[in-house]
Amino acid sequence: GHKKAVTAVATTPDGRFAISGSDDQTLRLWDLATAKCLRIFEGHKESITDVAVIPGERFMVSASKDKTLRLWDLATAKCLRIFEGHTASVTAVAVSPKVHFLVSGSDDRTLRLWDLTTAKSLKILKGHKDSVTAVVVPPNERFVISAGKDKTLRLWDIETTRCLRTFLGHQQ
């Protein structure tokens, strides 16, 4: 297994496999029926912070403290693309439900929308006053919702990159 703390987990849509990410800078593909590690994914230079499986089950995306995201082939454990642009640790990643884009959150207080095919940063969403801790793309793909250490949730319009609503209420 991993040599350091496990920091991220995701499952494939069919529920047969899990992917774990770790402070040991690796990801591992696990067979849930046998508990066997099938593949080890190496390439990140620092801890893994999040992982998301792309619908269709053949690929996954990892986020890392090394300021990058990586697109991986689950069948071969090869890194296919590196997404660069954040200026601090990438803390969160989500894939849009119809696989049109990726969204990431970072300690640099921004979210980025990425083109999966080219690994280019398409848009930057700014507004959090502290690190972004989680991101999600609802099924309609018109919005992104982010959570942050600034004790807020934010609803973003993908087209305009504007923050439409800030949800306050978490005190600590």
Side-chain angles (χ1 to χ4, degrees):
H2 287 289
K3 296 181 180 26
K4 293 187 179 178
V6 177
T7 53
V9 66
T11 61
T12 55
D14 65 5
R16 292 177 48 218
F17 305 98
I19 295 108
S20 58
S22 169
D23 281 342
D24 68 11
Q25 305 172 13
T26 69
L27 297 117
R28 292 173 188 258
L29 177 69
W30 301 91
D31 184 317
L32 290 176
T34 65
K36 284 198 167 51
C37 177
L38 303 177
R39 280 177 201 75
I40 300 173
F41 302 77
E42 297 177 298
H44 278 294
K45 308 284 188 268
E46 291 190 41
S47 300
I48 310 302
T49 56
D50 202 6
V51 62
V53 176
I54 295 175
E57 300 172 28
R58 178 145 182 213
F59 306 101
M60 69 168 168
V61 179
S62 57
S64 170
K65 288 184 179 179
D66 67 11
K67 305 178 195 170
T68 70
L69 297 127
R70 289 176 183 253
L71 176 70
W72 304 90
D73 186 320
L74 290 174
T76 65
K78 285 196 174 24
C79 176
L80 304 176
R81 277 181 206 83
I82 300 173
F83 300 75
E84 296 177 297
H86 281 294
T87 58
S89 298
V90 184
T91 53
V93 63
V95 182
S96 69
K98 297 180 187 110
V99 197
H100 291 134
F101 58 90
L102 275 182
V103 62
S104 59
S106 169
D107 280 344
D108 67 13
R109 303 182 302 190
T110 68
L111 290 89
R112 284 182 181 255
L113 269 60
W114 302 89
D115 182 306
L116 262 165
T117 325
T118 63
K120 296 273 188 268
S121 176
L122 301 172
K123 296 182 179 186
I124 302 172
L125 288 60
K126 297 179 181 179
H128 275 284
K129 307 285 187 252
D130 203 339
S131 299
V132 177
T133 56
V135 293
V136 66
V137 184
N140 68 17
E141 295 192 350
R142 290 180 42 225
F143 307 105
V144 171
I145 302 167
S146 60
K149 286 188 179 177
D150 60 5
K151 301 180 257 210
T152 67
L153 285 178
R154 294 176 188 262
L155 176 69
W156 303 87
D157 182 304
I158 289 174
E159 204 54 46
T160 66
T161 71
R162 283 187 40 239
C163 179
L164 300 176
R165 203 162 277 129
T166 300
F167 300 82
L168 305 168
H170 289 280
Q171 302 303 314
Q172 313 253 342

